[in-house]
Amino acid sequence: MQPWIQQTRNGFEMAEEEINRLEALPVQGEQSCMVQTDMKKWNQKEGNWPQMAYRNMIVLHAIGRGWLQPNFTGMELIDETI
């Protein structure tokens, strides 16, 4: 009698698919790529690229785009009933 895995489909293919599913590798998303491209263009326009440290360019880009604001964490609750 054959094991159930061999009755349904090729056991090796199924095992390989399971390994790929369980050991998935991280992938850079489309939004992340777009933000990086925008950040590079913005820093080139500001004259920061390539002589400034990359971490500083990230912070300056976020400030320039209005993503870092004082007293705002992005986790505030907004009451829309007012």
Side-chain angles (χ1 to χ4, degrees):
M1 186 167 146
Q2 286 184 333
W4 69 270
I5 197 168
Q6 291 179 349
Q7 292 174 358
T8 55
R9 54 189 297 198
N10 187 332
F12 178 76
E13 287 177 8
M14 189 166 192
E16 186 181 20
E17 288 174 11
E18 278 297 302
I19 288 172
N20 290 340
R21 185 179 68 83
L22 295 174
E23 296 183 12
L25 299 173
V27 206
Q28 187 170 10
E30 194 174 325
Q31 183 179 10
S32 173
C33 290
M34 289 177 10
V35 169
Q36 280 185 328
T37 303
D38 179 61
M39 181 180 74
K40 182 176 180 180
K41 288 178 184 176
W42 185 86
N43 275 295
Q44 284 174 332
K45 188 178 92 181
E46 295 293 316
N48 301 330
W49 191 273
Q51 65 273 9
M52 185 179 283
Y54 190 70
R55 287 181 180 262
N56 294 342
M57 285 191 273
I58 292 171
V59 173
L60 288 175
H61 178 250
I63 292 170
R65 292 292 187 230
W67 297 338
L68 295 180
Q69 300 172 12
N71 303 320
F72 182 75
T73 64
M75 298 299 291
E76 287 76 16
L77 298 175
I78 298 174
D79 186 9
E80 295 184 11
T81 58
I82 298 175

